[in-house]
Amino acid sequence: EKTGSGFKSLKAYRSGYFGASIKLQSGYTAGVNTAFYLSNNEAHRGKHDEVDIEFLGRTWKEPYTLQTNVYVRGSGDGGNIVGREARFHLWFDPTKHFHRYAILWNPKEIIFLVDDIPIRRYEKKSITTFPTRPMWVYGSIWDASDWATDDGKYKTDYTYQPFVSQYKSFRLAGCSSSATPHCRPVSASPYRSGGLSKKQLMAMRWVQKNRMVYHYCMDTTRDHSLTPECKKLPKKKENILD
């Protein structure tokens, strides 16, 4: 049976920290997408924003790929999709134990975290490249055979069903869409002035140098006039702080 499952937060948020402990299914899960993400698709169909953490499924011998992505004002809608993907191979087996995955979204930046380690920072460089409208928190597991594993080379095999991903220990902390203007956005910084600590930056550099397997700004086959923020990034992979 081809089906899927998901959940959605009761509130929409305009900023905050959104985390969950997730354990993935072991074995053959090619084509199966397990996701934890922010979206306002139901409020802005055809022109929505989205911030994703996705696990793209795997064949027997391959590692799980964690994909982070950002869509802004419809760049994920229609035929001409413009994503801002960065993909990582984790430094642990995500099927053995629960690990914590989180998105921190505030008016200045989006930070993706794994077990409290920042793996990617997406800064607000312009109003057109950054989501600003309220979003809900979602989780889902679904059949994404057409693209999820090796660009769709390996499809979901339903002889291995049921496919189960486990979520627990949710933490949603931030400013809801109905909060007063005095609500202060959450920060990953240990400093009042903002910015990641030296230890956080070193950890992120290590992850990006050693575990990152794709970054949209490094993809020479893409039209980067559609992603103008890429022009300001350094060319060396180990120096990317995005």
Coordinates of all heavy atoms in Angstrom, one line a residue, residues 76 122 165 182 209:
G76 N 9.7 26.7 -4.3 CA 9.5 25.3 -4.3 C 8.3 24.9 -4.9 O 7.9 23.7 -4.9
Y122 N 22.2 29.6 7.4 CA 21.7 30.3 6.3 C 21.3 31.7 6.7 O 20.3 31.9 7.4 CB 20.5 29.6 5.7 CG 19.9 30.2 4.5 CD1 20.5 30.0 3.2 CD2 18.8 31.1 4.5 CE1 19.9 30.6 2.1 CE2 18.3 31.7 3.4 CZ 18.9 31.4 2.2 OH 18.3 32.0 1.0
S165 N 9.4 5.8 11.1 CA 10.4 6.7 11.7 C 9.8 7.1 13.0 O 8.6 7.4 13.1 CB 10.7 7.9 10.8 OG 11.4 7.5 9.6
H182 N 6.7 42.4 21.4 CA 7.8 42.4 22.3 C 8.4 41.0 22.5 O 9.4 40.9 23.2 CB 7.3 42.9 23.7 CG 6.8 44.3 23.7 ND1 7.6 45.4 23.4 CD2 5.5 44.8 23.8 CE1 6.8 46.5 23.5 NE2 5.6 46.2 23.7
K209 N 33.4 20.5 6.4 CA 34.6 20.0 5.7 C 34.6 18.5 5.5 O 35.0 18.0 4.5 CB 35.9 20.5 6.4 CG 37.2 20.1 5.8 CD 38.4 20.5 6.5 CE 39.7 20.1 5.9 NZ 40.9 20.6 6.6

